[in-house]
Each structure stands twice: as C-alpha cells, then as structure tokens.
Amino acid sequence: MINNQSKIFVAGHKGMLGSSIIRILKKKGYKKLITIDKKKLDLRNQTSVKKFFKSKKIDAVIIAAAKVGGIKANIKYPANFISDNLQIQTNLITTSYSCKVKKLILFGSSCIYPKHYNRPIKENQIMTGVLEETNESYAIAKITGIKMIEAFNKQYNTDYICLMPCNLFGPNDNYDTQNSHFLPALVKKIYLASKKKGKKKIVKLWGTGKPLREVLHVDEVANACEFFLRKKTKKSLINIGSSIEMSIKNYADLVKKKIDPEILIKFNNDKKLDGVMRKKLNLDLANSYKWKSKMNFSKALDEIIMDFKNSYR
Ligand SMILES: NC(=O)c1ccc[n+]([C@@H]2O[C@H](COP(=O)([O-])OP(=O)(O)OC[C@H]3O[C@@H](n4cnc5c(N)ncnc54)[C@H](OP(=O)(O)O)[C@@H]3O)[C@@H](O)[C@H]2O)c1
C-alpha cells in the first residue's frame, strides 16, 4: 500500500500536471518525492531509465511526462507525438515492472476516445470507433499505454491504472498561441486584443466555436491522482472530469466578459481546426469510487486570468 512515506517518482514534474501533482502531494504530507530533469534523464532512453530506477528503489510511479500539444502541434508533428509517447510509456511501464514498483499511474486524455459520440463516454467505449484524424498519432500511443497496463495487470497481477482527464487548465499551462490547448489560447488571444490601441478590438479565433469541451482545473486531477494512488481498483481505466461543458464560443464569451466586454470575437470557421465535436466524459466509475471534482469554474478562471496577466507583464 502507498502512503506518505513511500518513494514516489513523478515523471514530468515541470509540466502543468506534474508540477501540480508535486504541489498537492507535498501539501498532503508526502515526504519522499523523486524527480529528475529532462536534461539529466531523457525518458525515451531505455538504458538510462533502467539505471535511474535501479539507483532509487521506487515504490510508485506517476507518468505525467508526455509529448503534449494542441491541434496545430498534433497536425504538424505526428511522428514526435507517436514515437515520444510510445517510448516514454513503454520504458516507464516495463522498468516499473522489472523493478517491482507497487503502483503506477498513467494519464490518458478524453481526446483519444472515438470521434463520433454524443453522449458522455464511458471507459469501455475505448477503441469502439474511428479516431479524430488530427490527433491520431497521440491517441494511438496513449491507447497502447492503456492496453499495456491492462495486459500487465492481467498477466502479472500488477496494480497499474490510467486516469483519463478532460481538457485541463491551471498554473504552468502552455500559452503558446500555435501549440497550446484551447482555454489558455483563448485567455492569451483575448488579453492581447484587450491591450490593442484604438476603438475596434477584434480577436480572431480558430474553427467554428461550436465544439463542446469539458474543462477541469489541473489541481483537481492531481487530487484524483493522490486519491487513486492509495486505492486498489478493479478497473484500470478511470475517467476524471468536472461535468462543466460548454461550446468554445461560450468559453470565449465568458473570458471576454472577464477581461474586456468590448472585444469583438470572430471565428475563422475553418472546420478542420474544430477537432472532435464533443468529448464529455461519463464519470460514474470515478464517482462509484467516491471521487468527485470540487472545482468552482468561475473562480478558477479568474485565477488563471490573473496568473496570465501577472506573468505576461
Ligand atoms: N493539458 C491537458 O489539457 C491534458 C488533458 C488531458 C490529459 N493530459 C495528460 O496529462 C499528462 C501531462 O500533460 P501536461 O499538460 O502536464 O503536459 P506538459 O505541461 O507538456 O508536461 C509534460 C512534461 O513532460 C516532459 N517530457 C516530455 N518529453 C520528455 C522526455 N523525453 N523525457 C523527460 N521528460 C519529458 C516535458 O518536459 P519539456 O517541457 O522540457 O519537454 C514536460 O515537463 C499527459 O499525459 C497528457 O496526455 C493533459
């Protein structure tokens, strides 16, 4: 059983989710957190990963390291998305097994479920339909990780799980206007438009604004990670979401209201940049284990807008 004296390796500790996991675990009294910079250990290198694990005697591994990006990055770098993610996961899962790690948590993403579905999607609907072509490489790598975990649990009786979050936002998010996810991109584009001089402040956004997105503050996922670190579950794939779902246009209107209500929002109506139309998760399984998000979205949005404004000065 994992407790706050266990040695926990958080891979990807400088990323948005990894840094949140470190914050939450420290707050909850975990004393033996292990991290290493990417410059010192490239997780794609199997030999180095094995050497690192052998020197540390790790009890639990949290895989928050991944090649991650928004829709344009996924379209432009499919080779990196499939090969980096396959290598990172495979090295960490196989080495965890050979080094007798007791618990492993991988992260999937709601965008790797089949493209066409209208109702909130359940965990058992993975691989039941075609994937969204813009992020197929990323999805195939992540699905392989999920299936690897299932296979290891079946054959070796390991306790490995994959948490499947919806769209995340929070401190340390990526605000690059070409490579980021939709919510940080909205905050940045609308904030920059608000700073323009002159009367007409127009912001141009990608796509039609119609796709629906469910969002969750990253600290909620870190809390779920700590919760499931201590729990033995029968199922190895668990959706993690907030039930807060709106169209991208509605999110844009909300961000605009908070930053500058005078701004005019225009979508470029390029359907290729819409991605999946809906990604809402069914949360019955997580709820059955007594996990539920406690996020106050409006407050969380105020905080990230404030964070962004402070860091952009
Ligand atoms: N962000 C979201 O909206 C979202 C939604 C659902 C699920 N998730 C999942 O959550 C996990 C973490 O995502 P995130 O948003 O926190 O991503 P992130 O901010 O980009 O963090 C990923 C971290 O992994 C590190 N990394 C990448 N390649 C590495 C390598 N070869 N060796 C060592 N470290 C490496 C990165 O380092 P560098 O920055 O130096 O490359 C970075 O610190 C991913 O599995 C993702 O699929 C994210």
Side-chain angles (χ1 to χ4, degrees), residues 143-237:
I143 292 168
T144 306
I146 291 165
K147 290 291 158 190
M148 245 179 113
I149 279 175
E150 264 178 41
F152 273 65
N153 287 347
K154 258 189 213 157
Q155 187 175 337
Y156 301 126
N157 204 22
T158 45
D159 183 10
Y160 300 167
I161 62 167
C162 178
L163 301 180
M164 197 81 129
C166 60
N167 272 84
L168 305 180
F169 67 96
N172 273 341
D173 212 338
N174 171 7
Y175 285 95
D176 182 300
T177 25
Q178 293 302 304
N179 295 325
S180 63
H181 290 105
F182 88 92
L183 194 55
L186 288 184
V187 169
K188 182 173 181 180
K189 286 178 182 174
I190 293 173
Y191 176 73
L192 292 184
S194 78
K195 294 283 151 208
K196 278 185 198 156
K197 296 218 166 79
K199 270 194 174 171
K200 259 195 177 171
K201 293 175 181 175
I202 299 175
V203 60
K204 288 190 184 141
L205 301 177
W206 297 348
T208 62
K210 289 180 186 158
L212 298 169
R213 292 291 179 263
E214 179 182 11
V215 293
L216 185 59
H217 192 280
V218 68
D219 287 358
E220 297 282 305
V221 183
N223 271 312
C225 177
E226 194 274 336
F227 179 89
F228 286 104
L229 198 59
R230 289 171 175 266
K231 210 170 196 67
K232 179 112 174 80
T233 58
K234 264 194 183 162
K235 302 279 183 183
S236 58
L237 180 61

Side-chain angles (χ1 to χ4, degrees), residues 2-4 8 20-21 24-30 62 103 105 107 161 163 219-231 291:
I2 300 303
N3 57 44
N4 48 20
I8 302 170
S20 166
I21 291 170
I24 298 293
L25 292 181
K26 278 189 179 164
K27 208 160 119 188
K28 290 183 183 270
Y30 286 77
I62 298 171
K103 181 95 187 186
I105 299 185
F107 290 96
I161 62 167
L163 301 180
D219 287 358
E220 297 282 305
V221 183
N223 271 312
C225 177
E226 194 274 336
F227 179 89
F228 286 104
L229 198 59
R230 289 171 175 266
K231 210 170 196 67
W291 183 84

Side-chain angles (χ1 to χ4, degrees), residues 116 142 188 201 244 253 291:
H116 301 294
K142 288 280 180 186
K188 182 173 181 180
K201 293 175 181 175
I244 292 177
D253 287 340
W291 183 84

Side-chain angles (χ1 to χ4, degrees), residues 15-17 38 42-43 64-66 107-109 138 142 166 168 181:
M16 176 168 68
L17 179 55
K38 187 177 158 187
D42 183 336
L43 296 166
F107 290 96
S109 169
Y138 176 76
K142 288 280 180 186
C166 60
L168 305 180
H181 290 105

